[in-house]
Amino acid sequence: MPLFGGDTKVTDFVKAEDVRMLTGISASDFHFENQEDPEKALDELLNKWIEQIASHIHVRLGRTVDPNSDEALAIKDILLRTVAKLVAVAQQQRSSPVIQIGDFAVSILNTAEVTKDLNSELMPFKKSRISIFSSADCYEEDGDGV
């Protein structure tokens, strides 16, 4: 089920170009020089990340978002900023050397840091369900008032 309702694909709502504008990345930053079309390869990677982060958001919200609603722009902003965080982590992992501690422990960046704030950012958009238990049995007093 898509994040945005109707026929709207998430990559039509949040575009690779939006991520490029926010982060300032280019195909050379991701070493796509060996690709036939480096710009297309970067756009494909960004679209994949947009879809993945949209999936994280959809799971946390538990519903689709009407692309014409007031909240759609806010959700788009959260999606765009989270993808930008993923771009930053990917760039950092590519430029930072792997650090070896001792004989066997290796320290690398944790990509879970990218999505850890999603729950708090999406809290205003979550809809709560309240379950109410009701007994339809009639209450009867016995003759003693008990």
Side-chain angles (χ1 to χ4, degrees):
M1 183 172 274
L3 175 59
F4 297 103
D7 295 332
T8 306
K9 288 178 40 180
V10 71
T11 52
D12 292 337
F13 201 70
V14 176
K15 297 177 176 30
E17 182 63 28
D18 298 332
V19 178
R20 285 174 178 251
M21 294 287 291
L22 181 62
T23 60
I25 62 164
S26 66
S28 63
D29 294 329
F30 281 89
H31 308 291
F32 286 126
E33 293 86 11
N34 296 334
Q35 298 288 327
E36 187 174 310
D37 186 352
E39 298 301 320
K40 182 180 176 189
L42 177 59
D43 284 347
E44 288 172 357
L45 177 63
L46 293 175
N47 285 331
K48 178 180 173 183
W49 287 348
I50 290 167
E51 290 170 355
Q52 289 171 342
I53 298 299
S55 178
H56 279 277
I57 291 172
H58 186 260
V59 166
R60 285 165 173 78
L61 284 179
R63 63 184 176 86
T64 58
V65 176
D66 178 0
N68 299 314
S69 67
D70 290 339
E71 69 182 355
L73 287 178
I75 300 296
K76 176 183 177 178
D77 177 59
I78 293 169
L79 174 58
L80 183 58
R81 286 185 290 110
T82 306
V83 173
K85 284 185 209 176
L86 184 56
V87 168
V89 167
Q91 284 182 307
Q92 194 172 8
Q93 282 183 335
R94 290 171 185 257
S95 64
S96 298
V98 174
I99 302 167
Q100 185 167 352
I101 304 167
D103 291 334
F104 56 88
V106 176
S107 177
I108 59 173
L109 294 172
N110 184 357
T111 56
E113 292 295 313
V114 172
T115 58
K116 76 175 188 173
D117 294 329
L118 277 180
N119 286 334
S120 60
E121 287 201 61
L122 294 172
M123 190 62 66
F125 307 102
K126 290 184 179 180
K127 309 247 183 205
S128 298
R129 288 187 176 171
I130 300 173
S131 294
I132 299 174
F133 174 76
S134 173
S135 174
D137 294 339
C138 294
Y139 173 73
E140 294 183 27
E141 279 187 37
D142 60 11
D144 297 335
V146 179

